[in-house]
Amino acid sequence: MRRVAVVGAGAAGSLTAVQLMRQADRLGRTVGIWLIDPAGRTGPGVAYGTSDPRHLLNVPAGRMSAFPDDPGHFLRWLTDRNPHTAPGDFVSRQVYGQYLSDIVERTAEACGHARLHRVRDEVVAVRKQGSGPVLRLAGGGELRVDAAVLALGSLAPAQDWAGAELRGSGHFVADPWAPGALEGPAEKGDVLLVGTGLTMVDLAAALARPDRVVHAVSRHGLLPQEHLPSPAPAAEAPLDLDGSRGLDALRRSVRRHLSATRRACGDWRPALDGLRPVTAALWQQLPAADRARFLDEDLRTWEVHRHRMAPATAATLRTLLASGLLRTGAGQVVGAVPVDGAMEVTLSDGTRLRVGAVVNCTGARTGPRGTMDPLVRCVLERGYGRTGPAGLGLDTAGDGRLVPAAGAPVLRLWTIGAARRGNLLETTAVPEIRAQAAEVAASLLDVLTDRRTPAPADRYGQRLSTSPEAAQLYDRALGRILAGSLGAEELLNQAVAVDPDFAVGHAALALLGHEPGGAGPTPPALTAARRAAAVRANDRERSLVAAVDACLTGTEERGKAALLGHIAGHPRDALAVSAAVPTVSFNGVTCGEEAWALVEGLSGTYGNDWWYLGQLAFVRQEQERWEEAETLASRALAAQPRAGHAVHARAHVYYETGEHRAGLAWLDEWLRRHGDGASQRPHISWHAALHELSLDNRPALLRRYRQELLPCKVSGGRLLVDSASLLWRARMTDSWNGDLPVTELLRAAPPHWLDAPATGFAALHSALALAAAGDLDALGQLRAHALAHHQAVFALVVAPLCDALSAVVREDWPQAVRRLGPLLALVARTGASKAQQEVVEETLLHALIAGGEYDRAARLLAARLDRRASPLDRRRLDAVHGRRAGWRAPAVMST
């Protein structure tokens, strides 16, 4: 029998226990569940333990089912007791607590395989023994289990704002929901509630009476908004919402969504409700600095609109405010002294209040550091868990499992609810908690299915719904994809032959078979992935298939949102991360600072993994942090000499720092030792050719092209990205004599790259290839395609580039210079690397020299030499100086 502990018997813990019992029974697995909490009741917890009937749910009854797969369950339970209950009613929290208690008891009675054990105690520490946790109880003794779920609810409210004198005065209520907390001082005289959220609203109704004034202050003084009596359905969130573009851009998009919904529906609430399914993904997409800004600048505004009052509660609040029995405002407590059996409190605006009690309504503590909870302290101190993003809660994987500190032992610990706030932001309401309870129970039972034969997983612990043989083939293929080695498709084809219902295997094949910038019918592998996901797949696998589907068949914006959303929930899905970041294997859905933020944000997830270090090295070289990039690449290559991203990053470092001879020697040695198995061999050869070009070694450049970059050596888009672009550079630098052999490249290149490229990156290289061929008609057609394209980069960069290259082909040098100059600052938007962007600068330099603008050419060459050493540029600068001197008019001789 497997043994599972659920620590905490409030709503989150009770729903987790119920899901564990139901799922274990459905699977026919014998599981013992120990539900541990010092409280005497199971279910209500703090949130639903109130006995005051005026304390209402802030969500309508029709949306409060305990089960994500049975949305009407709570409403049926209510109508069995009160047939007149309507879906839009806001019932008392006490009734909901009774509902939770009832479903725990009924589930325990109905399940034949699961056994529920109720332990009335507190867990104060945890340690590892074998593969499972051992829980130490406050009452003495220990409980050894195979896995545990920490359903601790919200951490106790913060008290930092209250000075020591106030906290020790006997007039301070630190936690108003603690049993008996409001007895005594809070019964005499006026009362000050610090905090103006939903806790204050409930307490104001409970504490108000004719002979006292209830004061309520908070830093902002904002009160929760109210629900409409008949709420409208949620408005679907727009597809262009994207946190990775930064907080300011996200704010503007959300405001547009709110305004559009208000115009359509007459109210903003449906728009905000529509954000609920995407809130976690948007939060996870935000850069770390913007998350901190959101918490500081926007959180309170978000909360008062997102967490609203029931209409009846709002009416009570308005009555109290109108009568003067409740007074609210903005302010902070700056001092408090005892006076005649009460407390005189000074607020930040100078107001002085004499009150019998000061009640802490500031809400739950947001971060676990400094908490008084001994179990949370123990988890952090022993490294079984770590603080979550933005300092909120505990860091968790997509299935709720705790992420340990670097180097700490992995323990079978999951968490649910408020503790996941750092990863999800919104995680305390029942609609979120019921889904988490189902997911955590499924994940935990999967892990405990068979301890001798664990479910197969990839190298990063992502469970694979397939046979061990197919999983092993897939993991070998993943290793080759991450390293940039050949043979991944063959291994994946073997995997899906072994198991035709292997959804992830088919999805990986679809990604690899999808030419960046491609078009056309749905790939057969994607069709197979869709079918397999419907047959047998877990939540992560279904999410991955959906993301791949969106990337391959949807708009660029839809594909990007789906893939980044999947990564946010499953950051250890390395295949998805690889597909999101531009590499030699994938076109990516991000570029520039957006890609940097994505990779940097995964540091805690991957640590010193060689593949990740290579990814980070490439980011660092793009940021021109050359030494860091070289250090990271060296560490990756020491662990895996074939690490493709590390090789790529080092190649860029050598080039950008002008270390051409050392770079060429290292690349040639790497190609000699590892190039035969590298899928990126043509691109690494292209990098070697750039060194030869910079060294002004024309014979070596021509030899490199003929040995490594002919169509018989290169395929797909690389024929244009590497081979054709190198030929164009050779022409622009006068390094190639005679006609360029570009026709054979164009015949072998993917037709859609030339006729209708789908990305700015593909279009850039198509334009260069067509210019190398001197095909003015095709350049005109590409220009027309660019002007009609929905992506802004086509009109901004590709169309004017076609005009500029057409001018170069016609040898209209003034027109070419006018067109090329402004493009230098814009070409990065195509997603090209700095080395690839440089081809536009080379073309401008060629036009300046050919057009006789020697002064401008000399300045550009001097700037390039300041950037890095280059014998080619030195020779050209000397030649330009010579031409400029020869151009000057000779002195007039006197007679």
Side-chain angles (χ1 to χ4, degrees):
M1 180 180 72
R2 301 290 181 258
R3 298 162 60 91
V4 180
V6 179
V7 183
S14 297
L15 292 180
T16 302
V18 166
Q19 285 289 349
L20 284 166
M21 288 187 282
R22 294 179 67 180
Q23 293 187 35
D25 215 52
R26 188 163 59 244
L27 295 170
R29 296 171 188 163
T30 303
V31 177
I33 301 160
W34 278 258
L35 188 56
I36 310 169
D37 194 296
R41 293 185 296 169
T42 298
V46 172
Y48 308 107
T50 175
S51 59
D52 192 329
R54 293 170 296 185
H55 293 167
L56 305 181
L57 296 174
N58 65 332
V59 177
R63 290 160 44 196
M64 286 292 286
S65 170
F67 304 109
D69 57 348
D70 185 3
H73 188 271
F74 179 49
L75 191 60
R76 294 197 304 274
W77 185 91
L78 283 171
T79 53
D80 284 345
R81 290 152 181 78
N82 181 358
H84 302 294
T85 305
D89 289 351
F90 292 82
V91 302
S92 75
R93 285 160 52 191
Q94 181 183 25
V95 168
Y96 195 75
Q98 295 167 357
Y99 166 66
L100 293 174
S101 296
D102 188 54
I103 61 174
V104 172
E105 297 305 321
R106 290 192 181 196
T107 304
E109 291 173 4
C111 289
H113 289 83
R115 294 289 181 267
L116 181 66
H117 308 271
R118 188 68 170 85
V119 179
R120 189 172 181 180
D121 208 330
E122 179 184 7
V123 179
V124 294
V126 61
R127 62 182 176 86
K128 183 176 183 180
Q129 183 172 330
S131 58
V134 178
L135 307 176
R136 181 155 59 85
L137 304 176
E142 293 183 330
L143 177 64
R144 181 178 179 180
V145 291
D146 296 296
V149 182
L150 308 185
L152 305 176
S154 298
L155 298 175
Q159 304 176 28
D160 304 350
W161 57 269
E165 189 170 18
L166 174 58
R167 293 199 301 269
S169 67
H171 296 273
F172 179 63
V173 179
D175 181 359
W177 301 118
L182 297 179
E183 298 173 4
E187 296 177 325
K188 302 175 182 178
D190 292 350
V191 177
L192 172 62
L193 308 182
V194 180
T196 56
L198 291 172
T199 296
M200 180 280 293
V201 172
D202 282 342
L203 292 182
L207 294 172
R209 63 187 192 215
D211 62 340
R212 67 147 47 126
V213 174
V214 176
H215 302 273
V217 298
S218 68
R219 189 159 57 96
H220 298 283
L222 298 174
L223 299 176
Q225 296 290 311
E226 65 178 282
H227 284 284
L228 295 178
S230 300
E236 186 174 353
L239 293 176
D240 63 349
L241 291 181
D242 183 358
S244 63
R245 294 186 303 205
L247 181 60
D248 294 329
L250 182 59
R251 283 173 177 156
R252 290 192 293 270
S253 297
V254 169
R255 287 168 182 156
R256 284 196 298 270
H257 173 52
L258 291 168
S259 298
T261 305
R262 189 184 294 112
R263 290 193 297 271
C265 305
D267 192 70
W268 53 267
R269 290 167 181 81
L272 204 70
D273 294 342
L275 297 178
R276 189 169 196 159
V278 298
T279 298
L282 294 174
W283 169 251
Q284 290 159 347
Q285 291 166 4
L286 281 175
D290 279 351
R291 293 185 197 177
R293 283 181 57 209
F294 175 86
L295 295 176
D296 185 53
E297 301 170 11
D298 302 291
L299 180 61
R300 186 57 184 148
T301 302
W302 166 263
E303 287 182 333
V304 299
H305 289 83
R306 168 70 181 81
H307 303 286
R308 303 190 288 271
M309 296 181 284
T313 302
T316 299
L317 193 69
R318 285 194 294 271
T319 299
L320 292 175
L321 288 167
S323 68
L325 296 178
L326 173 64
R327 300 175 186 173
T328 65
Q332 295 174 275
V333 174
V334 296
V337 294
V339 177
D340 297 332
M343 292 298 291
E344 185 172 273
V345 179
T346 304
L347 303 180
S348 52
D349 63 356
T351 301
R352 295 178 183 272
L353 302 172
R354 183 170 294 190
V355 295
V358 178
V359 183
N360 185 7
C361 300
T362 56
R365 183 188 300 271
T366 57
R369 295 291 179 186
T371 178
M372 298 300 291
D373 188 296
L375 177 57
V376 175
R377 283 207 313 271
C378 176
V379 166
L380 293 173
E381 290 169 358
R382 296 184 179 179
Y384 300 141
R386 64 186 185 188
T387 304
L392 304 178
L394 297 169
D395 197 8
T396 63
D399 62 353
R401 192 164 183 172
L402 291 192
V403 175
V410 177
L411 193 56
R412 288 174 177 167
L413 292 177
W414 281 257
T415 193
I416 182 174
R420 299 184 66 182
R421 194 177 183 196
N423 297 92
L424 305 175
L425 185 64
E426 286 289 331
T427 179
T428 57
V430 165
E432 282 76 34
I433 289 175
R434 69 189 176 203
Q436 291 177 29
E439 291 165 0
V440 165
S443 173
L444 189 153
L445 290 172
D446 281 344
V447 170
L448 301 183
T449 296
D450 188 341
R451 297 172 67 181
R452 294 165 297 176
T453 56
D458 68 18
R459 62 193 55 220
Y460 295 106
Q462 304 298 293
R463 192 175 73 80
L464 300 171
S465 299
T466 189
S467 67
E469 182 184 357
Q472 185 181 49
L473 289 165
Y474 171 81
D475 195 55
R476 289 170 57 197
L478 178 61
R480 296 194 182 191
I481 292 170
L482 301 182
S485 298
L486 295 169
E489 288 190 64
E490 180 182 353
L491 289 167
L492 289 170
N493 278 312
Q494 292 177 31
V496 297
V498 169
D499 179 7
D501 293 330
F502 184 17
V504 171
H506 289 297
L509 276 170
L511 273 177
L512 289 179
H514 177 61
E515 184 73 48
T522 302
L526 178 58
T527 302
R530 292 170 176 166
R531 176 194 55 75
V535 173
R536 184 184 69 238
N538 58 35
D539 288 344
R540 178 195 70 87
E541 293 168 319
R542 285 191 292 271
S543 174
L544 176 64
V545 170
V548 172
D549 193 344
C551 286
L552 271 55
T553 65
T555 63
E556 181 185 28
E557 294 77 12
R558 177 171 165 257
K560 177 179 176 180
L563 190 57
L564 293 181
H566 172 78
I567 294 169
H570 308 281
R572 289 186 69 80
D573 196 331
L575 176 66
V577 176
S578 291
V581 181
T583 67
V584 293
S585 299
F586 296 108
N587 201 41
V589 298
T590 60
C591 64
E593 293 185 5
E594 187 178 31
W596 302 350
L598 173 61
V599 174
E600 290 171 336
L602 294 170
S603 176
T605 301
Y606 290 99
N608 291 322
D609 176 78
W610 61 264
W611 163 74
Y612 176 73
L613 292 177
Q615 291 274 25
L616 188 58
F618 198 81
V619 167
R620 291 291 179 255
Q621 69 80 23
E622 285 193 323
Q623 296 167 338
E624 300 184 9
R625 295 158 66 172
W626 313 121
E627 291 185 7
E628 290 180 58
E630 170 59 24
T631 298
L632 290 164
S634 296
R635 288 168 57 193
L637 290 165
Q640 171 52 273
R642 294 181 178 272
H645 299 305
V647 174
H648 195 199
R650 178 173 275 182
H652 277 275
V653 171
Y654 275 128
Y655 182 72
E656 298 296 345
T657 57
E659 296 290 335
H660 300 301
R661 296 189 190 281
L664 181 58
W666 186 82
L667 287 172
D668 274 340
E669 177 63 14
W670 188 86
L671 285 167
R672 184 185 67 80
R673 298 179 62 186
H674 306 296
D676 287 345
S679 63
Q680 59 179 350
R681 181 181 184 114
H683 191 62
I684 298 303
S685 296
W686 175 83
H687 273 281
L690 288 191
H691 287 302
E692 290 164 338
L693 185 66
S694 295
L695 290 168
D696 208 15
N697 190 340
R698 300 183 197 185
L701 176 67
L702 300 182
R703 186 167 55 251
R704 178 80 56 180
Y705 178 81
R706 290 169 181 147
Q707 291 178 352
E708 299 283 357
L709 295 170
L710 289 175
C712 61
K713 301 280 188 176
V714 188
S715 62
R718 287 282 150 205
L719 285 160
L720 305 183
V721 174
D722 297 327
S723 303
S725 73
L726 182 65
L727 290 178
W728 181 252
R729 280 183 191 248
R731 169 60 54 80
M732 292 298 98
T733 57
D734 298 321
S735 301
W736 189 287
N737 295 322
D739 294 335
L740 297 176
V742 72
T743 303
E744 59 187 4
L745 297 178
L746 296 178
R747 280 200 299 263
H752 57 269
W753 274 67
L754 298 168
D755 301 336
T759 67
F761 180 81
L764 165 67
H765 290 92
S766 297
L768 295 173
L770 294 172
D775 193 337
L776 290 172
D777 290 340
L779 278 170
Q781 292 169 10
L782 179 59
R783 179 182 184 274
H785 169 73
L787 290 174
H789 204 281
H790 69 280
Q791 293 180 33
V793 69
F794 277 80
L796 186 68
V797 179
V798 177
L801 178 64
C802 290
D803 288 335
L805 293 174
S806 296
V808 172
V809 173
R810 296 193 309 269
E811 298 187 0
D812 183 351
W813 307 122
Q815 176 75 353
V817 168
R818 281 195 298 273
R819 293 287 188 178
L820 288 166
L823 289 175
L824 296 182
L826 299 174
V827 69
R829 300 194 184 191
T830 64
S833 69
K834 288 184 177 67
Q836 289 166 329
Q837 296 167 36
E838 204 172 59
V839 70
V840 177
E841 189 178 70
E842 292 281 16
T843 307
L844 173 61
L845 185 56
H846 177 82
L848 288 169
I849 295 172
E853 295 193 42
Y854 300 130
D855 285 338
R856 287 183 63 184
R859 288 195 297 271
L860 181 54
L861 282 164
R864 286 162 62 95
L865 287 167
D866 286 342
R867 196 161 70 227
R868 64 170 172 266
S870 168
L872 170 67
D873 283 348
R874 173 53 59 190
R875 174 180 64 79
R876 289 194 289 183
L877 182 59
D878 290 342
V880 166
H881 284 322
R883 292 184 186 184
R884 185 169 55 181
W887 169 81
R888 288 175 181 155
V892 178
M893 296 182 63
S894 58
T895 58

